[in-house]
Amino acid sequence: MTDKIKVNTDREEFKVIEDSKDEPTLKEAQSFVGGYVEGITFPNGDYLIINEKGKLMSLPLNPEATLLFRMHFDHDDIVGPAILIKKKALKVWAS
């Protein structure tokens, strides 16, 4: 379902990875989200990386990531920077 949603990938706090050559390392993901990472696997196999303590740190709402999350799960907010890795690009984060 996320394939049909147009996300604003120009925003610095939301990155979409569509090619495995662009998949971030753990260090790169931690740097992007600003701390420890938490991963969320969507039913379609896409993988969302967020800041594990984003809410405790009072990070701002991430509207793109929140929209994607709410399409698949209960109504909750995603805060702070997020990386969406499309299923076809998953290699490092697939395990």
Side-chain angles (χ1 to χ4, degrees):
M1 188 171 220
T2 56
D3 293 330
K4 297 178 183 177
I5 297 297
K6 172 76 172 125
V7 293
N8 182 2
T9 55
D10 294 334
R11 295 188 64 159
E12 291 182 16
E13 62 272 353
F14 191 76
K15 185 184 290 188
V16 177
I17 306 296
E18 298 196 37
D19 189 324
S20 61
K21 70 177 176 53
D22 298 322
E23 191 177 16
T25 64
L26 174 60
K27 188 173 182 176
E28 290 168 337
Q30 287 174 325
S31 177
F32 186 81
V33 303
Y36 292 112
V37 299
E38 178 179 350
I40 302 164
T41 302
F42 288 108
N44 69 352
D46 291 350
Y47 193 71
L48 185 67
I49 300 172
I50 62 173
N51 186 310
E52 180 180 66
K53 301 198 183 287
K55 289 181 183 175
L56 294 173
M57 297 169 62
S58 299
L59 295 178
L61 179 71
N62 186 317
E64 289 85 6
T66 296
L67 173 64
L68 291 173
F69 183 85
R70 289 180 179 178
M71 290 173 58
H72 299 285
F73 304 107
D74 290 334
H75 294 292
D76 197 3
D77 294 331
I78 302 295
V79 298
I83 303 169
L84 178 69
I85 304 175
K86 303 298 275 182
K87 179 182 178 180
K88 65 183 178 189
L90 279 171
K91 291 207 187 234
V92 174
W93 295 90
S95 52

